């Protein structure tokens, strides 16, 4: 990227021959590492939502555009247009308003009078359009004047530089400054689509009818939705066939084979074949061809190829016709987006209940949601849409960290990847909110550039990192590192606009050391009944099944459960213990199983996706949560408990401080932490005492139904709404929603109720 920027900065000072030589040298290097993405990126063939096909049942659309860069190109406009008319085509000519030439009114009128289109190409075409936000606003006012004077509906920037967020300052129906894939451009971030797409305007803070009405009057591309809300935005038309200059001058191709190859693939996918050429570089046969020219006959051959090979399969359209069609057929039928949200989590999205629960809730409320996550296994797509959430898998992770430094290095790599993608997406379509999930706390700084552009930031505390680190890594200097992590925690929370904490004990701890109470909320890991609804149990005669699903870390206490299972297996030979998970403790656990001779009874099973966890738990006779009661485990709320409860599966858990805070003996069978004999006795009691087991099941199921996400999601939506509207909801407490919490208090004769914690 730096080399490209330097080239375009130095371009005015270089002889033309030197410019071309440098471009060719750079292109040869780019080509070697981009064969898998250029000229065809398979991911770009995905059809848009609500796509119903092109007009008149055509297989694909053909859009011809030309950028006129200098006086030489201006003098060839009529010749090129007459050639296209002779072959039965029409196109769009994009002119530079304040470049090295003046655009005659007569030429524009001649073009439009003959069925062509006129567009605006940058302002000066000197690469300075996006130099600063303030400069762009000033320039946009001039560009808007030319759009109006020329009766133009479309725009394309010089050098294909683009910032789709800033382009909302222009009064246009479409922009054509991007591409599906082109690694040779100075800003090579392809859109990965061969279809038009809608660029929604950023969500306005002022929701008054007057503000919406004024916006509608200013932007031609506005549509009214069925919900009486106003659409603000424009259609983006990426070019999908390689530009003529790159093809014939830089890459020195002498045939149109690459155009024909890509066109055939676009036709198969039913996409849009949009070509950008330049009359400046077309030699019409008069005199000696320059170093930067190619025979116009090649372009004419391509048009003949399209006409003969694809005959009735293509829709010959001008850019504004494609934009109008897409707005009416796809955009108008879509609900108005309430905003764009990004979820960032150093975890596997498919198995992270907390992250998925937030993301899918926002989608149902009308938000557009992206999730940046890890790749669980090779072969998973880098980008996939799950329940309306666009999941970006940025990095593979095997939970085999060799120590704290290895763990930190991988997290930093993920942070850099997230920051790059956020910056790219922010240029294309701005995020209104970035919801970052820890650990680590410093992942919130991936959203630095996004926050500078006005996005709000939520930091979601799944785990308190200083205590987690002290529990996970046993090494010299831990106390010093823990103090450093506490400092990072403090500055991370200061950077965020709001902090959500996953339980009330941690909330009090963080308020006391790192964050003001009014900036916080507490949202426990309530189960989502859409995923964790009760499922039927499969019958297993003659087997008692214990299950643990989760990360295999020392503080989870799996070694305690395995040792307890020695006694259980001796008295219940038909019992089995299934462990679903991966983690740093797995090798030690395997050695322990071998040492105790339990290889046939304690079995490691694959990690399952979130949608499959409920069925796994429903078929267990008991769920075991044997956490250690150290500084971290004693206060770490276990989501597994509520998930087991949602299936009516009895739970045996260590009597930690956090679990005693939320639950009592009527819903959980507690054992004393790290007491192997007590855990074994609890397992045997649940296995043998049918009445006790049935009571736990009934109470657990009732608890889960009373405390599901469907009862609590309004608290999260209130936080999001207040952040995006900059004004708190009338029913939101001054200190933030849900700071009082929902501790469960019970006794033997009363129904369970929610009581505020004073």
């Amino acid at each position: 990227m730096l080399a490209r920027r330097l080239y375009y900065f130095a371009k005015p000072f270089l002889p033309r021959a030197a410019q071309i030589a440098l471009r060719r040298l750079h292109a040869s290097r780019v080509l070697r590492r981009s064969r898998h993405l250029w000229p065809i990126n398979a991911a770009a063939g995905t059809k848009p939502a609500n796509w119903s096909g092109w007009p008149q049942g055509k297989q694909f659309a053909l859009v011809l555009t030309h950028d006129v860069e200098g006086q030489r190109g201006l003098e060839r406009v009529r010749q090129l247009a007459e050639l296209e008319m002779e072959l039965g085509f029409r196109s769009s000519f994009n002119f530079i308003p304040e470049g090295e030439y003046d655009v005659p009114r007569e030429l524009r009128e001649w073009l439009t009078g003959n069925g062509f289109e006129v567009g605006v190409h940058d302002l000066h075409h000197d690469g300075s359009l996006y130099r600063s936000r303030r400069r762009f606003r000033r320039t946009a006012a001039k560009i808007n004047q030319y759009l109006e004077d020329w009766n133009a509906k479309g725009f394309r920037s010089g050098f294909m530089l683009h910032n789709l967020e800033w382009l909302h300052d222009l009064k246009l129906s479409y922009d054509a400054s991007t591409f599906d894939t082109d690694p040779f451009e100075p800003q090579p971030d392809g859109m990965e689509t061969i279809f038009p797409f809608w660029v929604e305007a950023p969500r306005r803070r002022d929701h008054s009818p007057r503000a919406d009405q004024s916006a509608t009057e200013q932007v031609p591309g506005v549509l009214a939705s069925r919900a009486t809300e106003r659409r603000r935005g424009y259609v983006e038309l990426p070019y999908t066939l390689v530009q003529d200059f790159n093809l014939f001058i830089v890459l020195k191709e002498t045939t149109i084979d690459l155009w024909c190859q890509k066109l055939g693939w676009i036709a198969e996918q039913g996409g849009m074949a949009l070509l950008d050429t330049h009359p400046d570089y077309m030699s019409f046969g008069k005199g000696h061809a320059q170093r930067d020219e190619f025979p116009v006959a090649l372009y004419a051959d391509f048009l003949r190829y399209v006409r003969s090979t694809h005959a009735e399969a293509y829709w010959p359209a001008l850019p504004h016709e494609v934009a109008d069609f897409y707005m009416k057929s796809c955009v108008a039928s879509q609900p108005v987006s309430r905003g764009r949200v990004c979820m960032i989590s150093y975890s596997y999205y498919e198995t992270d209940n907390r992250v998925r629960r937030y993301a899918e809730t926002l989608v149902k409320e009308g938000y557009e949601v992206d999730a940046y996550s890890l790749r669980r296994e090779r072969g998973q797509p880098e980008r996939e849409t799950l329940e309306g959430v666009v999941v970006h898998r940025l990095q593979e992770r095997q939970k085999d960290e060799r120590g704290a430094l290895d763990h930190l290095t991988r997290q930093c790599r993920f942070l850099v990847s997230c920051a790059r993608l956020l910056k790219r997406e922010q240029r294309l379509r701005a995020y209104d909110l970035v919801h970052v999930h820890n650990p680590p706390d410093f992942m919130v700084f991936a959203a630095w550039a996004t926050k500078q552009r006005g996005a709000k930031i939520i930091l979601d505390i799944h785990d308190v990192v200083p205590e987690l680190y002290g529990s996970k890594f046993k090494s010299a200097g831990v106390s010093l590192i823990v103090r450093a992590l506490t400092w990072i925690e403090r500055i991370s929370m200061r950077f965020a606009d709001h902090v959500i904490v996953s339980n009330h004990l941690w909330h009090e701890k963080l308020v006391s050391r790192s964050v003001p109470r009014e900036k916080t909320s507490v949202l426990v890991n309530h189960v989502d009944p859409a995923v964790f609804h009760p499922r039927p149990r499969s019958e297993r005669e003659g087997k008692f099944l214990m299950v643990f699903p989760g990360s295999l870390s020392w503080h989870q206490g799996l070694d305690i459960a395995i040792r307890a299972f020695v006694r259980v297996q001796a008295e219940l030979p038909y019992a089995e213990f299934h462990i679903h998970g991966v983690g740093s403790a797995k090798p030690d656990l395997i050695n322990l199983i071998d040492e105790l001779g339990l290889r046939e009874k304690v079995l490691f099973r694959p990690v399952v996706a979130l949608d499959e966890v409920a069925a796994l738990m429903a078929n267990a006779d008991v769920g075991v949560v044997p956490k250690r009661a150290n500084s971290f485990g004693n206060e770490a709320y276990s989501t597994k408990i509520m998930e087991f409860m949602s299936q009516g599966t009895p739970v045996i858990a260590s009597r930690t401080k956090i679990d005693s805070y939320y639950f009592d003996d009527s819903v959980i069978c507690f054992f004393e932490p790290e007491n192997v004999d007590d855990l074994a006795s609890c397992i045997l009691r649940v296995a043998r005492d049918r009445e006790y087991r049935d009571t736990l099941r009934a109470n657990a199921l009732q608890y889960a139904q009373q405390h599901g996400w469907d009862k609590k999601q309004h608290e999260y939506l209130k936080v999001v709404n207040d952040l995006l509207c900059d004004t708190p909801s009338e029913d939101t407490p001054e200190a933030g929603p849900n700071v009082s919490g929902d501790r469960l208090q019970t006794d033997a004769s009363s129904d369970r109720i929610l009581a505020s914690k004073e």
Side-chain angles (χ1 to χ4, degrees):
M1 177 65 77
L2 179 59
R4 292 184 179 96
R5 295 293 187 188
L6 289 174
Y7 165 77
Y8 282 96
F9 174 78
K11 180 181 176 182
F13 310 103
L14 295 174
R16 189 59 171 164
Q19 294 177 24
I20 295 173
L22 287 175
R23 287 285 296 272
R24 287 173 176 169
L25 178 63
H26 174 70
S28 64
R29 295 174 178 174
V30 170
L31 196 58
R32 285 195 295 270
R33 62 174 183 262
S34 303
R35 286 292 189 188
H36 63 298
L37 294 174
W38 185 90
I40 294 174
N41 180 355
T46 304
K47 291 181 173 59
N50 302 326
W51 181 251
S52 58
W54 297 105
Q56 301 141 28
K58 298 296 185 180
Q59 184 179 352
F60 68 97
L62 177 71
V63 185
L64 304 174
T65 68
H66 311 289
D67 295 343
V68 182
E69 295 191 349
Q71 184 65 36
R72 183 174 67 177
L74 184 71
E75 293 170 356
R76 298 173 179 177
V77 167
R78 278 183 181 259
Q79 287 177 282
L80 180 56
E82 288 169 350
L83 171 65
E84 289 178 333
M85 285 192 290
E86 180 183 337
L87 295 173
F89 293 89
R90 296 296 187 276
S91 62
S92 172
F93 285 84
N94 301 313
F95 296 101
I96 302 171
E98 298 181 7
E100 68 173 56
Y101 59 82
D102 293 324
V103 187
R105 176 186 295 272
E106 295 77 10
L107 177 61
R108 299 198 312 270
E109 291 177 349
W110 181 86
L111 287 170
T112 55
N114 282 282
F116 292 85
E117 182 177 341
V118 170
V120 175
H121 187 30
D122 210 290
L123 183 64
H124 303 295
H125 201 283
D126 57 2
S128 67
L129 182 63
Y130 294 106
R131 188 164 294 170
S132 72
R133 188 70 179 95
R134 179 179 298 178
R135 180 188 181 94
F136 184 83
R137 288 194 181 100
R138 292 199 305 265
T139 304
K142 294 183 178 180
I143 294 174
N144 282 332
Q145 188 62 53
Y146 285 106
L147 286 166
E148 182 178 353
D149 291 347
W150 295 1
N151 194 27
K153 297 183 178 181
F155 175 80
R156 175 178 284 150
S157 63
F159 310 114
M160 289 294 168
L161 299 176
H162 46 267
N163 185 319
L164 303 192
E165 177 189 357
W166 294 5
L167 282 176
H168 291 291
D169 291 350
L170 300 184
K171 301 176 184 179
L172 47 81
S173 293
Y174 72 87
D175 172 66
S177 307
T178 59
F179 37 86
D180 63 329
T181 179
D182 194 336
F184 308 107
E185 290 292 358
Q187 192 177 326
D189 48 347
M191 302 297 102
E192 295 189 345
T193 183
I194 54 173
F195 292 88
F197 61 91
W198 174 252
V199 184
E200 191 89 28
R203 190 168 178 270
R204 284 182 173 267
R205 304 295 185 194
D206 180 4
H207 298 289
S208 66
R210 181 173 297 176
D212 286 343
Q213 180 61 33
S214 62
T216 304
E217 292 171 353
Q218 291 174 4
V219 183
V222 170
L223 296 179
S225 78
R226 287 175 291 184
T228 71
E229 296 181 85
R230 299 286 186 174
R231 291 213 87 105
R232 298 179 60 253
Y234 59 87
V235 175
E236 181 65 25
L237 304 178
Y239 74 73
T240 56
L241 296 174
V242 59
Q243 291 192 47
D244 56 347
F245 185 83
N246 280 338
L247 184 64
F248 300 120
I249 310 304
V250 176
L251 298 178
K252 297 190 288 188
E253 293 287 331
T254 58
T255 70
I256 59 171
D257 291 350
L258 271 177
W259 274 347
C260 298
Q261 175 193 354
K262 182 71 175 286
L263 181 68
W265 180 78
I266 292 173
E268 290 176 1
Q269 308 305 313
M272 174 182 65
L274 193 153
L275 178 61
D276 179 24
T277 60
H278 304 75
D280 305 70
Y281 310 127
M282 295 178 178
S283 171
F284 284 81
K286 296 180 180 179
H288 181 68
Q290 301 296 315
R291 184 186 298 269
D292 60 351
E293 291 181 332
F294 67 93
V296 73
L298 289 171
Y299 178 64
D301 288 345
F302 175 71
L303 297 184
R304 294 188 185 98
Y305 172 83
V306 173
R307 192 176 59 183
S308 62
T309 304
H310 294 280
E312 301 298 320
Y314 67 93
W315 174 41
L318 295 173
H320 83 270
E321 293 173 332
V322 175
D324 291 345
F325 165 76
Y326 185 77
M327 290 172 68
K328 293 173 183 176
S329 64
C330 292
V331 180
S333 61
Q334 297 175 1
V336 177
S337 172
R338 297 189 63 183
R340 193 166 185 233
V341 179
C342 177
M343 294 273 168
I344 298 178
S345 178
Y346 187 71
S347 66
Y348 308 125
Y349 177 79
E350 317 84 62
T351 59
D352 196 321
N353 178 38
R354 188 173 178 93
V355 178
R356 281 191 61 174
R357 188 187 63 197
Y358 288 131
E360 292 174 10
T361 296
L362 289 173
V363 167
K364 292 174 183 175
E365 289 296 310
Y367 292 90
E368 298 175 71
V369 182
D370 290 351
Y372 299 174
S373 69
L374 296 170
R375 185 181 300 108
R376 187 174 55 168
E377 57 191 25
R378 292 183 180 179
Q380 280 189 302
E382 293 184 3
R383 189 173 70 176
E384 183 179 12
T385 301
L386 299 174
E387 301 296 330
V389 179
V390 181
V391 181
H392 303 259
R393 299 183 179 94
L394 307 185
Q395 179 177 312
E396 289 188 21
R397 181 195 179 193
Q398 298 295 326
K399 295 188 178 181
D400 57 354
E401 290 89 351
R402 292 180 293 275
L405 183 59
D406 187 25
H407 191 63
L408 175 64
T409 300
R410 298 182 187 192
Q411 290 178 333
C412 289
R413 280 178 51 211
F414 185 74
L415 182 148
V416 171
S417 297
C418 288
R420 286 175 175 170
L421 185 55
L422 271 172
K423 187 176 180 180
R424 170 188 179 276
E425 289 294 310
Q426 196 71 8
R427 284 199 305 265
L428 304 180
R429 296 181 58 209
Y431 286 115
D432 300 288
L433 173 71
V434 181
H435 187 153
V436 183
H437 301 261
N438 92 328
D441 296 327
F442 62 74
M443 194 63 68
V444 75
F445 293 108
W448 181 279
T450 312
K451 183 172 184 177
Q452 303 312 305
R453 296 193 177 195
K456 298 296 183 179
I457 312 297
I458 292 176
L459 176 58
D460 200 309
I461 304 299
H462 293 215
D463 296 314
V464 283
V465 174
E467 285 77 4
L468 174 63
Y469 181 93
S471 169
K472 185 170 184 176
F473 299 108
K474 307 296 182 183
S475 60
V478 165
S479 61
L480 179 62
I481 296 176
V482 167
R483 287 199 296 272
L485 290 173
T486 303
W487 177 78
I488 292 173
E489 172 186 275
R490 191 174 297 118
I491 63 171
S492 299
M493 293 182 178
R494 183 178 300 174
F495 176 78
D497 296 290
H498 194 84
V499 177
I500 296 176
V501 189
S502 62
N503 74 60
H504 294 84
L505 298 186
W506 283 350
H507 176 254
E508 293 304 315
K509 175 175 291 188
L510 294 173
V511 165
S512 69
R513 76 186 184 193
S514 295
V515 62
R517 184 179 298 273
E518 62 271 12
K519 193 177 177 178
T520 64
S521 300
V522 180
L523 284 172
V524 179
N525 280 337
H526 298 286
V527 293
D528 186 350
V531 177
F532 288 91
H533 52 83
R535 285 165 167 78
R537 294 166 53 83
S538 59
E539 295 298 326
R540 294 184 313 278
E541 293 295 334
K543 183 182 288 188
F544 180 80
L545 181 60
M546 292 170 45
V547 169
F548 173 90
S551 62
L552 307 184
S553 303
W554 179 81
H555 76 267
Q556 296 286 4
L558 267 297
D559 58 314
I560 301 167
I562 290 170
R563 294 182 187 279
F565 193 76
V566 174
R567 178 183 161 193
V568 173
Q569 192 268 338
E571 300 190 32
L572 300 175
Y574 51 86
E576 287 186 4
F577 185 14
H578 291 186
I579 300 173
H580 296 256
V582 293
S584 58
K586 187 172 182 177
D588 293 335
L589 295 177
I590 292 175
N591 292 336
L592 179 62
I593 291 169
D594 290 340
E595 178 186 323
L596 298 175
L598 296 174
R599 175 165 285 196
E600 301 300 321
K601 292 294 184 177
V602 180
L603 307 174
F604 285 97
R605 299 296 193 189
V607 177
V608 298
L610 180 64
D611 298 333
E612 303 171 30
V613 170
L616 174 73
M617 292 178 164
N619 286 313
D621 292 292
V622 64
V624 182
V625 185
K627 289 185 301 179
R628 285 183 161 82
N630 62 341
S631 62
F632 178 77
N634 202 37
E635 297 179 352
Y637 181 89
S638 176
T639 310
K640 291 182 287 291
I641 293 177
M642 281 281 282
E643 292 173 350
F644 276 119
M645 285 181 171
S646 72
Q647 302 306 303
T649 301
V651 180
I652 299 174
S654 55
R655 195 182 293 276
T656 59
K657 183 178 179 181
I658 186 66
D659 293 328
S660 300
Y661 183 94
Y662 287 109
F663 310 108
D664 62 20
D665 295 286
S666 69
V667 293
I668 286 181
C669 179
F670 281 117
F671 73 94
E672 292 307 309
E674 301 187 56
N675 189 324
V676 173
D677 291 334
D678 194 23
L679 174 54
S681 297
C682 287
I683 296 171
L684 291 171
R685 180 187 179 190
V686 172
R688 290 169 171 166
D689 190 338
R690 184 182 184 88
E691 183 178 352
Y692 177 59
R693 186 167 67 246
D694 290 344
T695 299
L696 284 179
R697 281 176 174 165
N699 291 346
L701 187 58
Q702 184 181 354
Y703 178 94
Q705 291 173 344
Q706 290 180 343
H707 298 82
W709 178 241
D710 56 332
K711 306 294 195 303
K712 298 295 179 181
Q713 62 181 335
H714 69 279
E715 296 172 1
Y716 173 63
L717 293 173
K718 199 181 300 180
V719 169
V720 172
N721 181 70
D722 291 349
L723 284 173
L724 295 185
C725 292
D726 289 333
T727 54
S729 304
E730 293 181 1
D731 56 345
T732 303
E734 291 182 4
N738 197 29
V739 294
S740 61
D742 44 55
R743 179 180 181 178
L744 176 68
Q745 299 181 342
T746 65
D747 57 55
S749 60
S750 65
D751 292 334
R752 284 182 287 277
I753 59 172
L754 288 176
S756 296
K757 177 178 179 288
E758 299 296 329

